Amino acid sequence: MAERPLVVAFDVIETLFPLEPIRQRLVDAGQPGHLLELWFSRLLRDAFAVVASGGYRPFGEFAVAALRSTASTPLADAQIQAVLAGFPELDPHPDVVPAVRRLRDAGVRMITLTNGSAANTSALLRRAGIADDIEQVLSVDDIRRWKPAPEIYLHAVASTDVPPHRVALVAAHAWDIHGAHQAGLATGWISRLEDEFPQVFSAPDVTGPDLGTVVNGLLELPS
């Protein structure tokens, strides 16, 4: 049975900050709004393929390449940059700040673990007013391995100096939950992106429709 975490590691994009505001930027660039989901899925697919084959590139390069390959009409460099400029301006989900405060009051340490850049994540945390509650902003750029490769989760464990099973990865992506579980971490899955957790993945220790429910579930685990 999973134990109450000493540290919670938050995924960032979609878990804490929704991508929905980017949709309007795509429309402003002359693209259909539904391109958002295809673009982000292509971005992740391409990144996973490169890392699985032994390579590495940062988030921004995959974002540009995937946007060019999925766009319904060719995009100028300025249009692409206008779309990407939306990432540092994302606002948090409404449940984020209360959940962070709940963990803080319970004495649980918090970090972020993202496939994006540390600089962009830090800007988002400051924008949301929770930067002081997050003790470390960890990025795949640190070790040049994207989630769900085990090395990035173990990097988070090493950075917090606690046993893997006392670190809980909280994410809205089932593949991220699976990766963390395989690396020995506890897991909390927010089901707001996917209707059902895929049976091919290792099941999360805690599941909930929102961040508050997942946080409460993690805090209720035996210590």
Side-chain angles (χ1 to χ4, degrees), residues 132-207:
D132 291 343
D133 297 307
I134 306 299
E135 67 174 48
Q136 294 187 74
V137 177
L138 303 179
S139 166
V140 295
D141 294 334
D142 299 342
I143 62 167
R144 300 173 66 85
R145 292 288 288 170
W146 275 58
K147 297 186 291 178
E151 293 89 345
I152 187 59
Y153 303 105
L154 297 178
H155 170 59
V157 170
S159 298
T160 55
D161 197 29
V162 298
H165 69 284
R166 301 306 298 274
V167 179
L169 187 281
V170 172
H173 307 284
W175 56 262
D176 203 359
I177 294 297
H178 175 77
H181 185 276
Q182 294 299 101
L185 281 67
T187 54
W189 180 57
I190 307 169
S191 60
R192 56 178 157 226
L193 283 183
E194 302 162 313
D195 293 333
E196 183 175 338
F197 195 86
Q199 294 185 357
V200 294
F201 291 153
S202 299
D205 296 303
V206 173
T207 296

Side-chain angles (χ1 to χ4, degrees), residues 97-108:
V97 173
V100 166
R101 300 289 185 257
R102 174 87 169 90
L103 287 170
R104 182 194 64 187
D105 294 345
V108 177

